[in-house]
Amino acid sequence: MELVPNYYQGRVALNVLAGSVDNAKDIYKAADGHVVCGVLTKNYPDNDSCIEDLKKYKAAVSNAISVGLGAGDPNQSKMVSEVSKVIQPQHVNQVFTGVGYSRAQLGQNETIINGLVSPTGKTGYVNIATGPLSSKEMTAEIPVTTAIALLKDMGGSSFKFFPMNGLSHKEEYAYIAKACADNNFSLEPTGGIDLDNFEAILDIALKAGVSMILPHVYSSIIDKATGLTRPEDVARLFEIVKKKLD
């Protein structure tokens, strides 16, 4: 099983939610393997049931799995780490304060672990108070470059900027993209990304020179009737990726 996501041209992979094992298979095929299929720990009552299910996903899509929190829920941080220890997925979503624990639980440096930071409304600064306790306090606003350095210290692989609300924080996002490029750090734009704004969001990161980009496209491409991500929409997103990189 692979431990590193299959980035198209070494730069871009998609992160989308899988509503079932069959849905994960369809998503994986639609993106020609350049994707990680998100499964949210918040949807499970305990670690054992989550692990049992994730083993099925892992086998179905060559471990192209992203262990998720669930809308950035800080209360899922510990469960994500403990489940990931067993599953050894390609990708792990974590709140800022949970990154070090996840890396220690994994026991290896290959799996991508992101660290969730939030917009502040001030270009050049992010809020790192995204953990179970810290998120209940006032925001902790620090320079973007300091946040990157801290994540590297903890064994983090990438910057998860959430919630972006599409292009509502365009200037902040562009600054972050340049900082990630300058500091050889991956970037994961997340929140409010859809088929209409995806190309613009991807373009900002590519033009900034970010080495590896993993956009999260979630609710906008989920069929409300079935709860499943639409493979045809994943295929459309992947066509945009290929157009930008080929």
Side-chain angles (χ1 to χ4, degrees), residues 8 11 26 45 56 74 87 113 118 135 146-148 158 170 173 182 187 190-191 210 213 224 227 235 245:
Y8 186 70
R11 290 193 73 184
D26 291 340
K56 299 172 187 175
I87 295 299
I113 305 175
S118 299
S135 61
T146 303
I148 290 173
S158 62
K170 185 178 179 180
Y173 171 61
D182 291 345
L187 177 58
T190 314
V210 181
I213 310 156
K224 290 181 173 59
L245 293 180

Side-chain angles (χ1 to χ4, degrees), residues 3-5 90 103 108-112 157:
L3 282 178
V4 180
Q90 289 184 356
R103 181 60 73 195
Q108 41 86 357
N109 294 316
E110 300 301 311
T111 293
I112 302 294
S157 318

